[in-house]
């Protein structure tokens, strides 16, 4: 059974709007709340309404996990299958599993895990990246999660990397 049946396609304008809002969330988390530079938001089935958002709370309470758990607690399974999570970074294996279990139908991520590892470096205890693409996690499941990313169009991946560098390169 495919979970993405009934999910509306994203228009280029909706994709750009979601990316812009998610990057702004990451920036506000970093600048105002001194949070790690990770953000996620959940778009409703209309691909425009932001239902909820989350920042990274710690090295184990990632933005995508927190958002997926909250969404699963607050929205019906079939409703979430028609929703889109937008994330500034490619979800790690833990987050991808949580997105899958929450039954969120589509994931859009702006920057890749490989770009994050390059930025944070080896052995960074605040971000020990896993070389396990989210598509591999989703492929092991019984339902489909549509994945778009990394978004190189309009320079989204580089914009996320540049913003996150302001956090990681100051010694975090």
């Amino acid at each position: 059974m495919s979970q993405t049946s009934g999910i509306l396609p994203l228009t280029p304008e909706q994709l750009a709007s979601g990316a812009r809002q998610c990057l702004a969330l990451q920036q506000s988390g970093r600048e105002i709340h001194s949070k790690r530079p990770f953000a996620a938001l959940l778009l409703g089935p209309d691909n425009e309404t932001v239902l909820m958002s989350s920042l990274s709370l710690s090295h184990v309470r990632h933005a995508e996990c927190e958002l997926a758990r909250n969404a699963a607690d607050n929205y019906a399974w079939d409703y979430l299958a028609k929703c889109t999570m937008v994330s500034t970074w490619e979800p790690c294996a833990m987050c991808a599993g949580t997105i899958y279990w929450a039954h969120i139908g589509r994931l859009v991520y702006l920057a890749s895990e490989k770009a994050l590892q390059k930025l944070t470096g080896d052995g960074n205890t605040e971000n020990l990246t896993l070389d396990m693409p989210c598509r591999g996690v989703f492929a092991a499941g019984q339902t489909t999660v549509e994945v778009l990313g990394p978004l190189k169009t309009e320079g989204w991946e580089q914009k996320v990397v540049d913003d996150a560098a302001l956090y990681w390169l100051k010694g975090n």
Side-chain angles (χ1 to χ4, degrees):
M1 174 178 96
S2 174
Q3 148 176 343
T4 57
S5 60
I7 195 167
L8 294 175
L10 281 163
T11 67
E13 295 79 17
Q14 290 168 330
L15 185 60
S17 176
R20 190 171 31 260
Q21 291 177 81
C22 199
L23 179 55
L25 181 63
Q26 174 177 292
Q27 290 167 333
S28 72
R30 181 184 50 74
E31 292 171 356
I32 299 169
H33 306 292
S34 300
K35 296 293 182 188
R36 300 162 75 242
F38 300 94
L41 57 86
L42 185 67
L43 297 176
D46 65 1
N47 294 327
E48 294 179 10
T49 304
V50 177
L51 300 173
M52 56 177 53
S53 63
S54 185
L55 298 169
S56 177
L57 302 179
S58 74
H59 69 285
V60 294
R61 293 185 65 196
H62 298 179
E64 301 91 345
C65 274
E66 294 297 309
L67 180 62
R69 286 184 186 113
N70 286 333
D73 286 345
N74 288 284
Y75 296 101
W77 171 277
D78 290 342
Y79 183 79
L80 287 174
K82 299 174 187 170
C83 293
T84 299
M85 179 185 287
V86 181
S87 177
T88 50
W89 291 97
E90 178 177 6
C92 70
M94 174 180 69
C95 293
T98 309
I99 292 164
Y100 172 80
W101 288 110
H103 205 59
I104 296 170
R106 179 171 36 226
L107 167 69
V108 174
Y109 67 89
L110 308 183
S112 70
E113 182 82 1
K114 295 272 189 211
L116 179 61
Q117 196 280 328
K118 184 177 177 185
L119 175 63
T120 61
D122 291 333
N124 185 323
T125 57
E126 270 297 302
N127 195 65
L128 291 171
T129 59
L130 287 169
D131 188 12
M132 183 174 292
C134 66
R135 284 177 172 88
V137 174
F138 297 139
Q142 296 179 48
T143 60
T144 302
V145 177
E146 180 185 344
V147 180
L148 304 172
L151 292 187
K152 297 188 185 281
T153 59
E154 298 184 38
W156 288 115
E157 183 172 48
Q158 192 59 51
K159 290 175 188 177
V160 169
V161 170
D162 290 346
D163 177 72
L166 298 172
Y167 177 88
W168 293 111
L169 299 180
K170 71 175 188 176
N172 293 307

